[in-house]
Amino acid sequence: MSNRRLFSLLFIMIMMISGQGCSNENPLRVSSPSGNIQVEVFTLGQGQAAYLVKHKGTLVLDTSMVGFDFLDAPMLQTGLNIINSSKSSFHEEWEMPWGEQRSVINQYNELIVSFREEKNLRREFNLVFRVYDDGLGFRFEFPRQEYMRKVYITEELTQFNLTADHTAWWLPGDWDISEHLYSVTRISEIDAISKRDHPNLAQTYIPVNAVLTPLTMKTDQGLYLSFHEAALIDYAGITLMPDKDDLSFRVNLVGSWRDYKVERTTPFHTPWRSLQIAETAGQLIESRLIVNLNEPNKLDDVSWIKPTKYVGIWWEMHLDKSTWGYAGGRHGATTENARRYIDFAAENNIGAVLIEGWNTGWENWIGTPEREGIFDFVTPYPDYDLEGVVAYARDKGVKIIMHHETSSDVRTYDRQLDTAYALIKHLGINHVKTGYVGTIIPEGEYHHNQWMVNHYQRVIETAARHKVGVNSHETIMATGLRRTYPNIMASENLRGQEFNAWATDGGNPPEHLPTVAFTRMLAGPIDYTPGIFNIKLDPYRPDNQVNNTLANQLAIFVVIYGPLQMAADLPENYQSHPAFQFIRDVGVDWEQSKVLNGQIGEYVTIARQERGTSNWFLGSITNGQARSLTIKTDFLEPGKTYLATIYADAPDAHWKLNPTVYTITQREVTNKSELTLVLAPGGGTAISFHMQ
């Protein structure tokens, strides 16, 4: 069947039910295909719409109410009746054009419940639940109606009423940035306000005690939960505000200078509110709930979207070896330097080169109100031959990745979108990295509000028209839209590698990425920029270092998923380095992925099969604690022998004391073999498996 997509409507059952028949004593129910997850929807005594969630008969979410508060209109929360409902089941198998795996099963049972106010304006909405074996999503659908045309939402009153004081891994609910370190506390101990005014962040605004999503939790009984949203279009991003007294969370939408947070016209629907439920931490990573809640691919031809490894003129600026700006005589993005990186990429099976600082305006790009209009995205500095560099790369079989740092001057970027992307198309470039460092211009908008969500969508759609894949930084958290728009290739939305170069708080601790794998990575692909070999950053940043071992930096290429993987260190640090062979070999696009073990914030091991080959790659990383992990290689093809090349921490390796010592060994393995991975503190293991 074309696109390997299999649709089958199993059954449709429509029921007309009065509101009085669907109280909390007689709820409407829908279960996951396996029956393990059950959702109940009902009304409470004052006509409040409510739901609860069970897993294998045990409450996960107790009675949780929903509703909306509006500007210049009554609150929509009480006096509601259920006027009808319908159930259906759905199953399809669809193919990722690129991703963690080729084939994805999308199977759920759906319940649509229609509510209407009994009195007043008699407004209506549908509450739609899709329940999967790995979690659920729900959203609100507002039909066109007489007393609900133009809608100004001041708050969405969606509630998640938890059953105990779970352990949570959280980021503060910052309206401007996701680049905080994760905290781990009980729900009752969440204190986002204490994270205000971080000295290493270019922009930050935390108005209330709330957290960003994905928000991952573990119950004392060992169940894993992760809350997020999917298919965020023309709506504000969410934060979750805890109520420590009853251990619940309520949606707190990201706002702006306006006295409302979302402006829509009926008919419309909200993004999906999602909840992943897993019995092991690894099942959270293997879940495809977020992409399944998004619509299928809307782009006709996606053959031009190519995952790739890349190097670039980037890390040397963070090290202060060179500068983004032209003034001062240390400009990094020169024609000569670009050619050096292109030559290195061509010699080492690296598909692309990112060049930051090529266009005029960098001298005034951050921290000043005068930065509006400083970038034009088409004019190179005098020492950079834009057309010549692209032609040189083409002759070498290497792609250039365009760079657009907007300095959050959104109005200027909006005005130049068509011109900037027409230039990219003219040059034959298929990738761009966008950046939004700094507070938003115009003042009063925030990185995660509806106005900016709509801007990011314009960028994606403009890029798609010009056949350009986007790697975005400092934008809204990924919500699975890569399924609908496959040119959304990666985003940052986390505290990246660059903090190790200059942060004044010691950089990213060893537990950072073993936490990210079970939190931020659930939202979508990441651009983390791994592969730093000069761990101590000599001679450029003697007071900083990367807080991992070299073997850990190799393993990140497999563990932290992204279709655009940067070998981030300086080319001279890779020259004649035996460990660089793993970076040459490792895939970036996957046939399938398996999480072999893991605990949040402690360790994780992932194996991935390269798409289109029989090659497998494994990455395992740990926090500051040394550990020994035994893994089975039963993911390999039965009856075949593979040569495993193992890049491991040396016996005396340590992220702080001795981070660059490693060993390379080889052995033959089959799918019946076992391997013991010995990880140093802050260490890791990277393995390539090639069929003999």
Side-chain angles (χ1 to χ4, degrees):
M1 189 170 292
S2 64
N3 295 324
R4 298 183 61 189
R5 193 169 286 160
L6 196 57
F7 296 93
S8 61
L9 191 61
L10 303 178
F11 66 87
I12 297 178
M13 179 176 63
I14 299 183
M15 306 172 293
M16 296 300 297
I17 305 173
S18 70
Q20 291 80 4
C22 294
S23 66
N24 55 348
E25 288 83 16
N26 186 24
L28 297 167
R29 293 186 175 91
V30 61
S31 298
S32 62
S34 68
N36 287 340
I37 299 174
Q38 185 179 71
V39 174
E40 298 181 6
V41 181
F42 44 88
T43 56
L44 299 175
Q46 296 182 7
Q48 302 101 322
Y51 72 99
L52 59 80
V53 178
K54 296 178 182 178
H55 177 263
K56 293 186 175 179
T58 300
L59 271 177
V60 173
L61 294 180
D62 208 339
T63 299
S64 302
M65 292 184 289
V66 299
F68 289 85
D69 204 355
F70 302 101
L71 180 69
D72 299 331
M75 181 183 295
L76 185 60
Q77 189 177 41
T78 60
L80 298 168
N81 282 335
I82 294 175
I83 57 174
N84 61 61
S85 66
S86 65
K87 286 184 179 180
S88 63
S89 293
F90 184 77
H91 180 280
E92 68 171 344
E93 183 178 354
W94 60 278
E95 181 174 317
M96 284 186 168
W98 53 268
E100 303 94 319
Q101 63 195 63
R102 184 187 296 271
S103 180
V104 178
I105 300 298
N106 182 19
Q107 183 178 10
Y108 59 83
N109 292 329
E110 182 176 82
L111 171 66
I112 303 176
V113 183
S114 298
F115 292 88
R116 179 191 293 155
E117 288 180 302
E118 185 174 8
K119 300 177 182 179
N120 299 326
L121 302 179
R122 296 182 63 80
R123 293 168 295 181
E124 298 181 7
F125 68 91
N126 296 329
L127 179 56
V128 183
F129 275 91
R130 291 182 180 176
V131 187
Y132 300 74
D133 287 337
D134 53 350
L136 59 96
F138 64 91
R139 74 181 184 188
F140 305 90
E141 298 177 347
F142 290 90
R144 185 172 178 83
Q145 49 198 292
E146 181 177 1
Y147 296 106
M148 203 176 195
R149 300 290 178 87
K150 194 81 166 183
V151 175
Y152 299 93
I153 300 172
T154 58
E155 198 56 81
E156 181 184 322
L157 306 177
T158 300
Q159 184 183 37
F160 304 97
N161 191 9
L162 298 162
T163 59
D165 197 7
H166 306 322
T167 300
W169 288 262
W170 55 272
L171 294 177
D174 199 319
W175 288 13
D176 257 338
I177 203 164
S178 309
E179 295 180 359
H180 296 264
L181 286 172
Y182 278 89
S183 298
V184 53
T185 68
R186 295 287 183 170
I187 295 167
S188 61
E189 299 168 342
I190 290 174
D191 181 11
I193 303 301
S194 67
K195 307 300 179 181
R196 286 175 173 169
D197 303 320
H198 195 290
N200 294 308
L201 298 179
Q203 70 275 342
T204 177
Y205 181 58
I206 306 171
V208 297
N209 185 37
V211 297
L212 294 177
T213 63
L215 168 64
T216 300
M217 304 177 190
K218 183 180 181 182
T219 73
D220 288 345
Q221 291 71 40
L223 195 67
Y224 295 87
L225 312 174
S226 188
F227 296 85
H228 191 35
E229 61 179 330
L232 173 59
I233 293 179
D234 198 8
Y235 205 83
I238 62 169
T239 66
L240 299 179
M241 190 162 59
D243 185 325
K244 299 180 181 181
D245 293 331
D246 61 11
L247 300 176
S248 68
F249 286 88
R250 183 173 62 78
V251 167
N252 187 264
L253 298 173
V254 175
S256 68
W257 59 268
R258 303 166 185 85
D259 49 6
Y260 58 88
K261 295 182 176 181
V262 172
E263 175 186 351
R264 294 297 301 267
T265 301
T266 59
F268 74 93
H269 58 74
T270 70
W272 296 95
R273 282 54 186 105
S274 65
L275 169 59
Q276 291 176 242
I277 303 174
E279 295 182 358
T280 68
Q283 289 173 355
L284 292 175
I285 299 174
E286 292 180 338
S287 169
R288 298 294 168 255
L289 177 70
I290 302 301
V291 287
N292 276 333
L293 285 167
N294 280 263
E295 297 297 319
N297 175 17
K298 287 187 176 182
L299 308 183
D300 293 331
D301 172 31
V302 295
S303 61
W304 49 271
I305 303 175
K306 301 292 187 183
T308 188
K309 286 172 280 190
Y310 69 100
V311 294
I313 303 174
W314 174 78
W315 188 240
E316 63 181 71
M317 277 90 86
H318 286 289
L319 294 176
D320 199 32
K321 177 187 177 187
S322 65
T323 60
W324 283 275
Y326 177 71
R330 296 193 298 122
H331 187 215
T334 66
T335 299
E336 180 183 3
N337 202 22
R339 288 185 172 189
R340 183 172 72 94
Y341 278 85
I342 292 166
D343 289 342
F344 178 81
E347 293 164 3
N348 289 283
N349 191 36
I350 305 295
V353 174
L354 167 71
I355 301 170
E356 294 199 11
W358 67 273
N359 59 321
T360 57
W362 287 86
E363 285 78 10
N364 301 305
W365 78 287
I366 189 170
T368 63
E370 294 79 15
R371 72 187 191 277
E372 185 167 10
I374 63 171
F375 289 133
D376 66 9
F377 311 104
V378 296
T379 303
Y381 279 117
D383 60 350
Y384 182 70
D385 178 2
L386 175 61
E387 297 265 1
V389 167
V390 173
Y392 185 82
R394 187 184 304 116
D395 290 344
K396 294 277 187 173
V398 174
K399 289 284 189 178
I400 295 297
I401 297 177
M402 180 58 81
H403 185 241
H404 289 168
E405 174 52 62
T406 69
S407 72
S408 289
D409 175 10
V410 177
R411 290 183 298 206
T412 295
Y413 194 41
D414 265 329
R415 285 193 295 268
Q416 298 183 27
L417 277 181
D418 286 330
T419 301
Y421 282 86
L423 174 63
I424 295 176
K425 183 177 182 179
H426 164 73
L427 294 170
I429 292 173
N430 292 122
H431 299 97
V432 64
K433 175 182 174 182
T434 63
Y436 293 83
V437 174
T439 55
I440 299 294
I441 297 174
E443 185 179 357
E445 307 291 355
Y446 295 93
H447 284 72
H448 304 159
N449 70 0
Q450 183 186 21
W451 192 82
M452 284 302 296
V453 166
N454 289 341
H455 165 78
Y456 303 139
Q457 189 65 26
R458 286 194 297 276
V459 172
I460 291 301
E461 294 179 10
T462 301
R465 289 196 301 271
H466 292 87
K467 295 188 175 182
V468 177
V470 178
N471 170 15
S472 64
H473 284 229
E474 299 90 27
T475 53
I476 191 72
M477 185 68 71
T479 63
L481 280 169
R482 58 180 167 134
R483 181 186 182 190
T484 312
Y485 300 92
N487 66 316
I488 302 176
M489 298 198 69
S491 61
E492 190 181 37
N493 302 127
L494 86 166
R495 186 165 147 137
Q497 182 87 272
E498 67 273 15
F499 280 78
N500 290 322
W502 43 253
T504 59
D505 59 1
N508 301 336
E511 66 269 18
H512 180 53
L513 292 182
T515 303
V516 164
F518 300 98
T519 51
R520 158 65 184 90
M521 197 167 75
L522 305 183
I526 296 173
D527 182 24
Y528 184 75
T529 61
I532 303 302
F533 281 12
N534 179 22
I535 302 292
K536 293 292 187 179
L537 309 182
D538 296 329
Y540 305 104
R541 295 284 191 178
D543 296 329
N544 292 77
Q545 74 158 75
V546 175
N547 299 322
N548 308 116
T549 68
L550 188 148
N552 180 293
Q553 286 287 302
L554 294 178
I556 295 170
F557 282 91
V558 181
V559 172
I560 303 302
Y561 172 66
L564 303 174
Q565 288 281 24
M566 185 180 199
D569 211 342
L570 307 180
E572 53 265 36
N573 292 330
Y574 293 139
Q575 294 287 2
S576 303
H577 201 303
F580 189 64
Q581 187 60 45
F582 182 82
I583 297 178
R584 292 190 186 99
D585 293 340
V586 68
V588 289
D589 196 17
W590 307 110
E591 185 74 28
Q592 55 181 317
S593 297
K594 307 283 186 182
V595 181
L596 306 186
N597 56 45
Q599 289 295 336
I600 306 172
E602 298 181 22
Y603 63 94
V604 60
T605 306
I606 299 178
R608 305 187 193 268
Q609 182 189 5
E610 185 178 23
R611 193 175 295 207
T613 77
S614 59
N615 300 331
W616 282 81
F617 297 89
L618 179 147
S620 184
I621 60 175
T622 184
N623 58 10
Q625 178 180 332
R627 63 185 77 245
S628 179
L629 303 171
T630 299
I631 59 109
K632 296 180 179 180
T633 58
D634 52 4
F635 50 84
L636 299 174
E637 185 176 340
K640 303 294 184 180
T641 299
Y642 292 76
L643 180 65
T645 303
I646 304 168
Y647 301 79
D649 294 315
D652 57 342
H654 185 283
W655 69 269
K656 181 71 172 178
L657 303 176
N658 202 11
T660 58
V661 291
Y662 66 97
T663 63
I664 303 176
T665 59
Q666 292 184 321
R667 57 173 287 188
E668 290 187 344
V669 298
T670 69
N671 78 322
K672 298 183 183 297
S673 301
E674 287 189 353
L675 297 174
T676 299
L677 313 179
V678 180
L679 310 182
T685 298
I687 306 176
S688 61
F689 299 89
H690 291 88
M691 190 181 292
Q692 296 290 84

